[in-house]
Amino acid sequence: MRRAVGLTLAGLWWEHLAAAFWAAGTWVLLGLAALGLVALVPPGALGWVSALWLLVLAALALWGWARFRRPSRDQAALRVDRRLAGRPLSVLGDRMALGGPDAAVLWQAHQAAARAAAARARPVAPNAALVRHDPFALRLVALTALAMALIFGGAAPVGQGLGALAAGWRPSPPTDQPVATGPAWEGWAEPPRHTGRPVIYLNTLEADALTVPQGTSFNLRLYGQGLSVAQDIGPTDPQAASDAPRYTAQQDGTLSVGGRSFAVTVLPDAPPQVWLAALAGRRADGRLAQGFSAEDDHGIAAGSATITLDLAAVDRRQGLAPDPEPREALQLDLPLPATGQRRRVSATLAADLSRHPWANLPVRMTLSVRDGIEQAAETPSTALILPGRRFFDPLAAGIAEMRRDLLWSRDNAPRSARLLRAMVWRSDRTLPPEAAQAITGAVQALESGPLSPDARDTLADALWDAALLIEDGGLGDALERMRQAQERLAEAIRNGASPDEIQKLMDALRQATDDYTRMLAERGEDPAARFDRSEQQGRQITGDQIQQMMDEIQRLMNEGRMAEAQELLDQFNQMMDNLQVREGEGGGSSSPSGRSMDRLRETLRDQQRLADDVLREAQRDPFGEAPGEGEGEEPGEGEGEDGQPSLADRQRDLRAEIGRQQGLLPGRGTEQGDAASDRLDDAGRAMAEAERALREGDAAGALGRQAEAIESLREGMRALSDLSRGEQGQQGEGGSPQPGQGDTPGPQGSPRAGGGEGFAPFAPGRDPLGRETAGQGGNIATGEPLADTERRAGRARELQDEIRRRSGESDRPRAERDYLGRLLERF
């Protein structure tokens, strides 16, 4: 009780002092905060300002003293007693005035209860009620001002203020005393803007050696008299002022100014380089997709592709026999990153050239790039066939050829008119009305007389549209609407459009997709029968799979998962771009599950090859650069020394391929189909962890995750095999072989390690020490003899003992011991 009353009394002292002297305290805080401004007060007025401040402080202190009332212990006890039930402290101070022995016993019980209640007394927190005394919160203003002065000025403003205050009471220093001045000169080295390097302040350099790019501008400011500047690094700017000379570094040399010399080393600006990737192949939609790589020490500024007709390689027969009309070379800008550095660029030049007169003809392509100082480089002139759309309908192909002949030379007009008449004379097929009208109008225009260039181009466009109508029966327009709707939706998601706008664009994409599939149904076709998803036979899409992708995109957007919707939308766009028109029947499995099995089988082979490469890299250089690292790049990014993708990038591509295949899996809603989808989910997660481990330089961790991915792929193939047997059983056909029974590839030459008998430290389903990973059924699941399993276990123990021994040797490099420690922790 005494402790509670004592603490409450201390709080009462705080309340009374704060309520009485808050104004004086606020004035003191404002004075301390303003000490940094004392130096701005003239010395003669500083004394008066100080006296005024002290006078105000004294008045506020007297005002507070007049209002101050000293708290007593009884007040504290009363405040504590009010918080207790029954006022026990007041009861303990009472005395029994009258009563007999029975009353005394009752009084003692009453006192005992009061003492027990008083023992539970707690101190009461003080409350000065400063909001009532200071309604404008002046105390907070003063406290904030002091905090700002201390934070932004540190102790310096306060020290300067106190020094200035003291200076106001002492005589001024003699006028002949030397005054401290700043530097007699200043200098900056400003590299060229295209290098992206920062400006260097010469006065703060500790060393006298300086390495700068060629063309760096040295800007000086001379503040004193008699300062000499000497340099032999480059020419002087003749327009610069005498007290602000400027020099451009062109060669190694020395810059001397104000008694200090800098040894300047100039790095010459290397010219850029550019290479062509594999030549662009033929695409059904006529789009050019040409890969290239370029690099420069400071970044590529711009680039272009020049395409010219290779007249000597053209088969000059029929409509190409006349001399071609002159045309300017095609100029295409190379795609470069909009942000970030452009020191190393690998991209694809994409352009729709299906309508160009040179489409499907021999051309020569030259890529050129330039850097920030207009240094240029170009590839050798490379011969290729300019990609363009091919028509497999004979009539459509003939119309497209007549269009090409007209664009080649207007002298072909009479011949083209005769051939167009022959194509539609007594035709045994009904042409679309728009196509028939276009052909009739073209014949009349060609026979009416010489064509102007504009009339020729208009006629060529009409013939192209007629050929598309005959070839696709409107499918080309439906695909184009799908592509345009997808592009608009992707742009809306990237720009953060409203939900209503996104929903409207999604409805447009779904409508375009429905139109496309309906047109196929009217023609009695399926997308898989007409289009392949890639250039490899057997990778096809079906109409229901397109609809499933649309449903998945819609679901992700409804859940607000815009990033995932954007990723799936990009996959859909890539799928649409890769549509290939097949000529005749292709190979591959006939059922959807069989085609998915083919795709997974190839992905499994690629994953096994990648795992072998990771192990080979780790054994070749276990303590050096992490697998997948490129020189001067982040681990796992860029390309390897041979220009191939890094190991981490290859793992990323395989993970993306798994995501695409999962969206095209058949059997949605069936037990086998859902099981296959779950296993691909597991494989994708394991691949993502393997990619992360490769980028962090953890080869052992990557191998473990890759083993899990391979096992998940195999389980997914088993589920698809069950689904395929069900499909074939319904058709009265036999089953397909189980994955792993002759059709699933094994390790692609896994390297041996550690000497001894033939023990491969890594194989699918095993860790780097050769042991079965979790989920394996030992030798029963693998079908291997028990002796082989026991021999692998013994070999694994030997490897563990050797790793422990090496990790404990202090004379080994730290990087090596850290690597061995990570192996022990993980395996």
Side-chain angles (χ1 to χ4, degrees), residues 416-475:
S416 298
R418 292 194 301 271
L419 290 177
L420 286 174
R421 281 187 176 277
M423 290 178 191
V424 296
W425 172 253
R426 291 185 177 180
S427 175
D428 57 351
R429 59 187 295 183
T430 302
L431 299 180
E434 297 86 352
Q437 182 179 358
I439 295 174
T440 302
V443 172
Q444 294 175 354
L446 291 174
E447 293 177 345
S448 62
L451 294 174
S452 65
D454 293 339
R456 178 214 41 208
D457 295 341
T458 301
L459 185 58
D461 291 340
L463 290 176
W464 177 264
D465 294 338
L468 289 179
L469 282 174
I470 296 173
E471 175 75 12
D472 294 332
L475 277 179

Side-chain angles (χ1 to χ4, degrees), residues 175-194:
T175 56
D176 57 349
Q177 184 176 351
V179 180
T181 61
W185 65 274
E186 287 184 291
W188 299 265
E190 184 178 355
R193 180 173 298 180
H194 73 275

Side-chain angles (χ1 to χ4, degrees), residues 638-655:
E639 297 180 350
E641 295 178 356
D642 57 354
Q644 299 298 320
S646 67
L647 298 178
D649 288 343
R650 288 169 58 189
Q651 187 67 78
R652 179 199 60 200
D653 295 341
L654 284 176
R655 176 167 57 87

Side-chain angles (χ1 to χ4, degrees), residues 219-231:
N219 304 320
L220 302 179
R221 295 293 184 271
L222 309 178
Y223 302 122
Q225 298 294 331
L227 287 175
S228 61
V229 179
Q231 61 86 26

Side-chain angles (χ1 to χ4, degrees), residues 86 404 561 568 685:
R404 182 204 64 185
R561 299 157 63 181
L568 187 58
R685 284 191 292 269

